[in-house]
Amino acid sequence: LTGRVSRNYAVVPMAPRHVLSAAAIERDATPSPWSETQIAAELAKPSALFFVLEEEGAVLGFGGIWLVGAEAQLAEMAVRRDRRRQGVGRALLDALLRRAKEDGARAMTLEVREGNAAARALYASAGFRETSRRPHFYEGRETAVLMGKNL
Ligand SMILES: CC(C)(COP(=O)(O)OP(=O)(O)OC[C@H]1O[C@@H](n2cnc3c(N)ncnc32)[C@H](O)[C@@H]1OP(=O)(O)O)[C@@H](O)C(=O)NCCC(=O)NCCS
């Protein structure tokens, strides 16, 4: 971690008490946000593994994967707008990559909007490489860039 998040942070498994904050971050982060109900449902899925980064009790961001056999798929990740570019996303992604590997995944895949420069830069800096594209994937318009990384 870069040290721009204070010392009093922790990456911990997402629990029901985090759902409201995660949904608020999500609403401010993407054109197609997951609702509180959807986030809560993710916590109940056996294949899902979600983490939050908390700083002094406040949720600064969250991220999750679905683990199916030897493949982990990045499900979602979002950081509070006023705390972006401080290493929160990277800390969450590192925790997810580590945990996926520990749980036996051999690779992680993800899909990201072509126009999402911040997320694409984060993933590229973490070693993800573009594998393919799906035109008109989001809202029938925006291209999805598929990326992958061996673990
Ligand atoms: C993508 C997102 C999660 C990144 O979180 P973050 O906490 O701001 O990212 P970090 O501070 O850990 O950045 C790590 C690296 O990613 C890259 N990066 C992150 N944001 C960037 C930006 N706006 N422009 C260029 N590079 C960026 C940089 O390489 C950065 O390292 P550096 O700051 O040392 O240069 C955040 O921008 C976000 O919540 N976006 C909206 C939701 C979203 O797009 N989620 C992904 C869906 S696929």
Side-chain angles (χ1 to χ4, degrees):
L1 187 65
T2 54
R4 289 167 292 166
V5 173
S6 86
R7 275 164 205 266
N8 301 318
Y9 83 92
V11 177
V12 298
M14 193 192 279
R17 69 188 166 88
H18 298 126
V19 168
L20 275 179
S21 311
I25 292 170
E26 176 76 354
R27 277 194 299 277
D28 189 37
T30 160
S32 47
W34 285 0
S35 67
E36 282 155 36
T37 311
Q38 284 170 301
I39 295 173
E42 288 298 325
L43 299 186
K45 282 189 194 166
S47 65
L49 191 69
F50 277 71
F51 287 123
V52 299
L53 189 147
E54 279 186 307
E55 186 188 65
E56 290 163 3
V59 176
L60 302 190
F62 75 96
I65 55 175
W66 295 302
L67 261 170
V68 182
E71 190 179 309
Q73 190 187 344
L74 189 68
E76 178 60 316
M77 104 171 302
V79 172
R80 223 171 73 185
R81 189 179 290 278
D82 63 331
R83 297 304 300 270
R84 289 186 190 158
R85 219 56 203 271
Q86 296 175 22
V88 175
R90 191 187 293 283
L92 284 163
L93 187 57
D94 284 351
L96 291 166
L97 286 164
R98 210 175 315 122
R99 180 60 192 273
K101 194 173 176 183
E102 279 167 15
D103 285 10
R106 307 270 301 276
M108 193 180 290
T109 60
L110 62 85
E111 61 199 32
V112 56
R113 289 172 186 267
E114 184 179 34
N116 191 346
R120 288 179 65 186
L122 168 62
Y123 302 144
S125 78
F128 284 86
R129 296 292 169 253
E130 182 174 333
T131 52
S132 61
R133 283 176 177 240
R134 287 195 193 128
H136 314 297
F137 184 75
Y138 297 103
E139 297 94 28
R141 282 195 309 271
E142 189 167 3
T143 295
V145 176
L146 279 67
M147 303 180 85
K149 174 186 165 72
N150 290 326
L151 300 181

